[in-house]
């Protein structure tokens, strides 16, 4: 599905990578819910003990700005010992376009 430029400005791609452990999904999704971010799509898997998750989120109704959510995800990343990155969808699409 094609997105308009306006849509991509309010959306972000979040990736999580690290050793599997209980609570990763709960911590990330709870933080997003606390900021009224809407999860549009989510995929997660565990490969030989390595947890990976990719999410597309809409921040249009969020109660916080992009950097505040990034900061909270960085704190969760440190607490859980996983790597969490968040990029604006438009930046992600530009970086990975074919």
């Amino acid at each position: 599905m094609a997105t308009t430029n306006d849509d991509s400005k309010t959306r972000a791609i979040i990736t999580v990578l690290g050793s599997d452990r209980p609570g990763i999904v709960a911590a990330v999704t709870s933080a997003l819910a606390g900021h009224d971010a809407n999860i549009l799509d989510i995929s997660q898997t565990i490969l030989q003990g390595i947890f990976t998750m990719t999410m597309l989120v809409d921040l249009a109704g969020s109660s916080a700005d992009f950097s505040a959510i990034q900061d909270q995800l960085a704190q969760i990343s440190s607490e859980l010992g996983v790597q969490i990155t968040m990029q604006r969808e438009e930046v992600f699409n530009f970086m990975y376009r074919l």
Side-chain angles (χ1 to χ4, degrees):
M1 171 191 334
T3 61
T4 67
N5 287 340
D6 289 341
D7 287 344
S8 69
K9 291 180 181 182
T10 64
R11 294 180 181 185
I13 306 293
I14 298 172
T15 58
V16 182
L17 177 65
S19 294
D20 186 35
R21 62 173 297 215
I24 298 172
V25 175
V28 174
T29 57
S30 292
L32 294 171
H35 292 296
D36 297 319
N38 185 28
I39 299 170
L40 301 174
D41 201 354
I42 184 171
S43 172
Q44 72 95 53
T45 190
I46 302 165
L47 299 170
Q48 297 183 0
I50 303 298
F51 176 88
T52 64
M53 179 169 65
T54 305
M55 302 168 60
L56 173 62
V57 298
D58 185 359
L59 305 174
S62 178
S63 59
D65 65 16
F66 187 87
S67 62
I69 298 170
Q70 264 187 324
D71 290 346
Q72 185 173 9
L73 292 176
Q75 180 180 352
I76 293 168
S77 174
S78 178
E79 291 169 0
L80 295 179
V82 297
Q83 176 186 356
I84 302 175
T85 59
M86 181 169 131
Q87 293 179 293
R88 294 187 188 280
E89 183 185 32
E90 63 185 347
V91 173
F92 182 88
N93 288 337
F94 180 79
M95 289 176 56
Y96 297 102
R97 70 180 177 193
L98 297 176

